[in-house]
Amino acid sequence: MASCVCAGTLIGPAIAGCASRPATNALAKNNMLVIKLALLNYQSIWRGFPPRSIEDKDGKPLLSWRVAVLPYMEEKNLHRQFHLDEPWDGEHNKALIERIPAAFANPNRPRDGKTNYLLPVGNGTLFGSGKRMRIKEIADASKTIMFVEADEDRAVIWTKPSDLDVDMDHPSCGLGHFRSDGILVEMCDGPVRTLRPGVSETTLKALFNYQGDKAIDPNDY
């Protein structure tokens, strides 16, 4: 993988050891499946994927899309407890950070109210288009990334409206340092994929782009 100035750091020994265990890897993949199904159920009901953030009447981001999909992952009660017209770090909503659902808590990192399951946002990405996308608008859903398991230093408070900013000139930034066996990505259609260590920037750019040609090296994943 090409180097970039924003490359993440390797995870610590305790977490790294855990990341190699088949059981926790299986759980991490299952978490991603739960999140994917919540996103798909949301777009099926609302005829579009959720916006990247819940906003106030002036367009100011308040809460993450992760809060919006709670009812679609058997977390309706938790969703009801949020004040959707207040920011994630407001007095009331801040107290709910510790209630992070299991699906957002990666088993290979500390349970600290943060998640590294992030949407790719930026020009050309599914959630960077500025409009409510539907899966039928994706050129090749089986080769388009829905969300990723990002590097440890990119983990965010799960309720905060923040995700992975993708620079299509350097799409590997923020990826590839969390686990030694590759990068876990969830496609819009199909299973969780593990992109090989050193996956090319060309492949990543194609996978992040929801439209256009999918010129992907089959050896990359």
Side-chain angles (χ1 to χ4, degrees):
M1 179 183 296
S3 62
C4 62
V5 294
C6 52
T9 55
L10 291 172
I11 53 180
I15 302 174
C18 186
S20 66
R21 299 173 186 170
T24 51
N25 276 344
L27 183 55
K29 291 180 179 180
N30 185 70
N31 285 352
M32 295 178 78
L33 176 60
V34 171
I35 298 168
K36 173 182 179 174
L37 291 176
L39 284 163
L40 289 175
N41 287 334
Y42 184 104
Q43 76 91 36
S44 178
I45 292 171
W46 296 101
R47 298 183 179 181
F49 288 109
R52 289 156 46 183
S53 61
I54 297 171
E55 301 176 344
D56 66 13
K57 58 183 176 59
D58 297 318
K60 178 183 177 181
L62 300 176
L63 291 157
S64 170
W65 60 272
R66 290 175 283 268
V67 174
V69 302
L70 288 176
Y72 308 98
M73 55 196 305
E74 300 184 357
E75 292 284 358
K76 290 183 179 180
N77 183 56
L78 179 57
H79 184 262
R80 292 191 197 101
Q81 295 180 52
F82 278 92
H83 289 176
L84 301 181
D85 59 348
E86 296 179 9
W88 68 276
D89 56 351
E91 183 177 357
H92 175 83
N93 289 337
K94 191 173 183 178
L96 298 173
I97 293 173
E98 65 181 26
R99 299 278 303 279
I100 180 172
F104 291 129
N106 194 314
N108 297 315
R109 61 172 315 282
R111 187 151 182 141
D112 55 3
K114 292 184 177 182
T115 185
N116 65 332
Y117 299 130
L118 308 180
L119 298 180
V121 297
N123 291 333
T125 64
L126 181 60
F127 292 92
S129 65
K131 66 175 184 176
R132 296 279 296 279
M133 298 293 298
R134 290 180 289 178
I135 197 164
K136 68 179 184 180
E137 297 176 85
I138 302 170
D140 187 341
S142 68
K143 294 180 180 178
T144 300
I145 292 175
M146 179 182 281
F147 63 93
V148 302
E149 182 189 68
D151 288 344
E152 174 63 17
D153 64 350
R154 301 305 176 99
V156 300
I157 297 295
W158 75 278
T159 56
K160 184 178 180 179
S162 180
D163 284 279
L164 181 67
D165 290 316
V166 174
D167 177 355
M168 286 298 195
D169 291 328
H170 303 285
S172 65
C173 289
L175 300 170
H177 297 82
F178 188 73
R179 56 178 65 241
S180 62
D181 59 342
I183 306 167
L184 289 188
V185 298
E186 182 64 80
M187 299 299 182
C188 293
D189 183 22
V192 177
R193 304 299 297 262
T194 302
L195 304 183
R196 69 171 179 83
V199 58
S200 72
E201 299 275 30
T202 300
T203 291
L204 278 172
K205 183 175 181 178
L207 292 173
F208 279 133
N209 192 343
Y210 76 94
Q211 292 182 319
D213 181 43
K214 296 290 184 179
I216 296 170
D217 183 345
N219 295 318
D220 275 340
Y221 72 138

